[in-house]
Amino acid sequence: MALDGHKYLFVLGGVMSGVGKGIASSSVGLILKQRGYEVNLVKIDPYLNVDAGTMNPTEHGEVFVLSSGLETDQDMGNYERFLNRDLGPEDYMTSGMVYQSVINRERALGYHGKFVETIPHVRDEIIERLEQAAGHNGSQISVIEIGGTVGDFQNGLFIEAARVMRLKHPNDVRFVLVSYLPVPNTIGEMKTKPTQSAVRELNSYGVQPDFILARSNDPMDEKRKEKLAIWCNVRPDHIISAPDVASIYDVPMNFEKDNLGNLLLDALSLSKDTPADFSAWSDFVTRIKSGGPEVRIGIVGKYFDTGDFVLSDAYLSVIEALKFSGAEIGVKPKIEWLNAKDFESGENIEKLGEYDGILVPGGFGETGIEGKLKAIRYAREKKIPYFGLCYGMQLMVVEYARNVLGLEGAHTVEINPDAPHPIVAMMDAQKEVLARGEYGGTMRLGVYKEQVLPGTLAHKAYGKDEVEERHRHRYEINPAYVPRLTSAGLVFSGTSPDGVLMEIAELPESVHPFFLGTQAHPELIARPLAPHPLFSAFLRAAAEKGKAPA
């Protein structure tokens, strides 16, 4: 159960989806943290999936994996990046989780023969989960984002749970509505009516917002604030202008210009004695804006056929990790998306010579795989810094087996189960899981320890012998081929503590300036104030390549 006096801030969205609730929630969390409070951020997704693991990235964006192994919505990544700490599985909730839990309890006679209904049992399950999340890690304030838009049928039950919590704890629960104020081109005037309608819709649930974060292309003027205040019954100073900004990392300090931190603490009856310290965050924002020498990074991937907006979401953590390391070492990564399909014939492969670094991210399936293999070979032979993430490491090893060892037909069994040389194979435990038809939440997920070999690129980057990384995969480098690969010059610089699983592969610096792949997803733990060392090492090598004469 929650600690006595725990505070809850519910963040809801109005007018349209994609209005920026996740960044707003992350920013509110950071603001309160910088005032000395322990904060946990909670994401509620109204879909019936039990977790995000089975969803296609082109449908819902990147799947973010917590240290616990729970596969979640990408907003959890923003939460961790802004708070600069890990969140737990209790900080994520879907409709699927809630209903599954209620049904399992009913099957086990947990309701003692009662007639189980949506109200109160499902609603109370939601409240119980929120209170459990509040009790972890010494948290004092929970910032809870309810996914979707006010008026969506799917999230009504979560709003109802929040309403009941406010009724029971009137001094401890507050509501923030993130709403959109359009400026139609043909009118040229910011319109408040859609937000007025969103507030009335929220009122129909029995909920009155305490704050409105007014999203728009431009800052809100006082006249619109006054109009919204009157029609929405919200104090004028509780209507916060949230215009578009150059970087999402500007948002917290933008909110602070409107005194949001103090206003929130007043609304929650909390002390304002500790002044906010944004010095480190402000320094990071300055560095990410100022950039430095441009470094061209080509990302060879597969999620390209559904538009650039979805593409950015599919590789969100990779993009942000590159930004963080760029800010750390003083370079500006210029990311360009390269469709792996374009390299399958080999005709366009010379285009890769234009880049200072090549990165192949994680993924699944055979789409564009031969194009990726050709890109990896080109980067290896032309000595272009290469960084492979998960699938990008597996294919790097397959390419080496084919073109250096000369193992014709070398492949991953994910694509060719009958490959004559199964360089990448499935773990026995995973075979048993798939035989039962279980796909969701059954991969190698979450944090695992790795031993790092001294004298290697990886060890030079990490600066230590043992590290922890997050994983999300089902296939591993086949141990039967490790001796032949190492005898041919490939170095497995990171392994599981028992030496069975190959976690990092690389070529020595004497052979290649930077040719490294990791079975993990290091992008998942990269933070603005704690960039990941492998991304930083990759960008340093790419920057050096960029200095070299063509």
Side-chain angles (χ1 to χ4, degrees):
M1 297 294 290
L3 304 176
D4 290 340
H6 190 90
K7 306 295 183 178
Y8 299 87
L9 270 174
F10 286 93
V11 179
L12 307 101
V15 178
M16 67 179 193
S17 62
V19 74
K21 298 188 303 299
I23 298 302
S25 301
S26 301
S27 299
V28 166
L30 176 63
I31 288 169
L32 295 172
K33 177 189 174 186
Q34 298 307 101
R35 298 301 294 263
Y37 290 95
E38 291 297 325
V39 182
N40 71 304
L41 283 152
V42 178
K43 176 65 186 290
I44 295 176
D45 274 323
Y47 47 70
L48 287 174
N49 302 65
V50 174
D51 58 41
T54 58
M55 292 191 289
N56 191 317
T58 59
E59 292 287 331
H60 195 67
E62 172 188 75
V63 175
F64 188 82
V65 181
L66 302 182
S67 291
S68 66
L70 182 64
E71 296 167 289
T72 72
D73 179 89
Q74 61 187 5
D75 280 324
M76 294 297 289
N78 282 324
Y79 295 172
E80 289 198 345
R81 288 188 278 268
F82 275 68
L83 288 183
N84 195 27
R85 76 171 178 85
D86 292 358
L87 293 171
E90 62 278 352
D91 295 314
Y92 185 67
M93 188 189 319
T94 70
S95 292
M97 285 181 185
V98 172
Y99 281 103
Q100 185 181 63
S101 181
V102 169
I103 291 169
N104 288 342
R105 185 181 301 179
E106 182 274 326
R107 293 286 83 190
L109 296 180
Y111 295 102
H112 309 293
K114 291 182 180 179
F115 186 63
V116 180
E117 299 182 88
T118 303
I119 304 293
H121 300 103
V122 176
R123 180 200 65 202
D124 290 350
E125 172 71 18
I126 294 168
I127 294 173
E128 183 178 332
R129 283 172 173 265
L130 291 174
E131 290 177 339
Q132 287 175 348
H136 281 74
N137 300 319
S139 173
Q140 298 164 285
I141 307 171
S142 294
V143 180
I144 303 155
E145 178 191 348
I146 298 179
T149 306
V150 171
D152 290 348
F153 182 81
Q154 296 94 321
N155 61 18
L157 194 55
F158 296 102
I159 300 175
E160 167 66 6
R163 180 192 70 81
V164 171
M165 290 180 71
R166 170 74 169 251
L167 184 66
K168 291 181 176 179
H169 308 283
N171 297 320
D172 298 329
V173 178
R174 295 292 179 264
F175 292 94
V176 178
L177 180 69
V178 183
S179 193
Y180 184 66
L181 282 79
V183 183
N185 291 333
T186 54
I187 299 175
E189 177 187 356
M190 185 179 290
K191 308 303 290 185
T192 64
K193 187 64 72 175
T195 293
Q196 293 177 40
S197 298
V199 171
R200 283 196 293 273
E201 184 79 41
L202 187 56
N203 291 159
S204 72
Y205 291 95
V207 171
Q208 167 65 33
D210 300 286
F211 292 84
I212 294 176
L213 303 184
R215 289 283 294 110
S216 189
N217 297 335
D218 306 302
M220 172 181 275
D221 59 15
E222 290 303 315
K223 182 178 179 180
R224 267 74 189 176
K225 280 193 179 186
E226 292 169 5
K227 190 173 183 179
L228 272 183
I230 294 295
W231 287 101
C232 298
N233 197 30
V234 176
R235 285 171 40 176
D237 62 334
H238 281 204
I239 298 172
I240 309 297
S241 180
D244 291 345
V245 290
S247 166
I248 61 173
Y249 304 107
D250 283 314
V251 174
M253 290 179 290
N254 230 30
F255 284 166
E256 280 294 79
K257 290 177 184 176
D258 273 2
N259 201 32
L260 181 59
N262 284 335
L263 291 168
L264 287 170
L265 293 176
D266 282 340
L268 294 168
S269 301
L270 291 172
S271 167
K272 299 180 292 185
D273 292 345
T274 303
D277 181 7
F278 280 97
S279 56
W281 190 267
S282 179
D283 179 59
F284 159 72
V285 172
T286 299
R287 285 185 282 113
I288 207 169
K289 284 181 177 178
S290 59
E294 195 171 84
V295 178
R296 294 186 67 188
I297 303 298
I299 297 183
V300 183
K302 62 175 282 189
Y303 299 120
F304 292 83
D305 298 336
T306 51
D308 289 343
F309 296 104
V310 175
L311 173 65
S312 297
D313 278 354
Y315 298 126
L316 180 62
S317 291
V318 175
I319 298 168
E320 298 309 299
L322 287 167
K323 289 180 184 176
F324 305 154
S325 287
E328 178 189 42
I329 67 175
V331 300
K332 184 175 183 178
K334 182 182 179 183
I335 299 169
E336 297 184 32
W337 308 103
L338 304 174
N339 194 328
K341 293 178 184 177
D342 294 340
F343 303 114
E344 289 183 325
S345 68
E347 293 180 3
N348 303 310
I349 201 70
E350 296 294 330
K351 177 180 175 60
L352 294 174
E354 302 171 6
Y355 297 95
D356 302 315
I358 302 296
L359 187 151
V360 173
F364 300 91
E366 62 181 326
T367 303
I369 189 169
E370 292 301 326
K372 291 179 184 178
L373 287 165
K374 285 184 171 62
I376 294 168
R377 180 177 187 175
Y378 187 88
R380 178 176 59 80
E381 293 180 343
K382 300 297 181 180
K383 293 186 170 41
I384 300 171
Y386 172 80
F387 192 22
L389 306 175
C390 195
Y391 206 25
M393 172 198 164
Q394 294 172 2
L395 295 182
M396 163 186 162
V397 179
V398 168
E399 186 279 325
Y400 203 82
R402 283 186 184 183
N403 300 309
V404 178
L405 268 70
L407 300 180
E408 187 175 345
H411 220 314
T412 166
V413 298
E414 177 182 359
I415 306 305
N416 182 6
D418 300 317
H421 295 288
I423 301 300
V424 180
M426 187 182 293
M427 298 179 285
D428 288 340
Q430 290 295 319
K431 292 178 183 177
E432 295 171 7
V433 166
L434 292 189
R436 295 193 298 267
E438 299 172 7
Y439 291 88
T442 59
M443 291 185 281
R444 185 179 175 210
L445 295 165
V447 165
Y448 289 85
K449 290 182 179 180
E450 301 177 13
Q451 295 296 129
V452 186
L453 184 65
T456 60
L457 276 170
H459 195 276
K460 181 178 177 182
Y462 282 117
K464 47 189 175 181
D465 298 336
E466 184 177 89
V467 297
E468 291 186 343
E469 291 285 2
R470 293 187 195 177
H471 290 248
R472 183 179 185 250
H473 60 97
R474 185 168 274 123
Y475 298 86
E476 302 281 355
I477 303 302
N478 190 338
Y481 285 88
V482 168
R484 296 170 71 177
L485 289 162
T486 54
S487 66
L490 193 63
V491 176
F492 289 103
S493 52
T495 65
S496 57
D498 60 8
V500 172
L501 304 178
M502 303 299 109
E503 305 285 28
I504 304 173
E506 63 177 71
L507 285 178
E509 282 186 276
S510 59
V511 175
H512 195 289
F514 192 93
F515 192 74
L516 183 146
T518 172
Q519 183 66 83
H521 284 274
E523 69 273 17
L524 298 178
I525 60 172
R527 309 269 169 85
L529 304 184
H532 196 282
L534 291 184
F535 276 89
S536 298
F538 169 60
L539 278 185
R540 286 191 183 95
E544 286 299 316
K545 193 260 183 187
K547 294 176 186 177

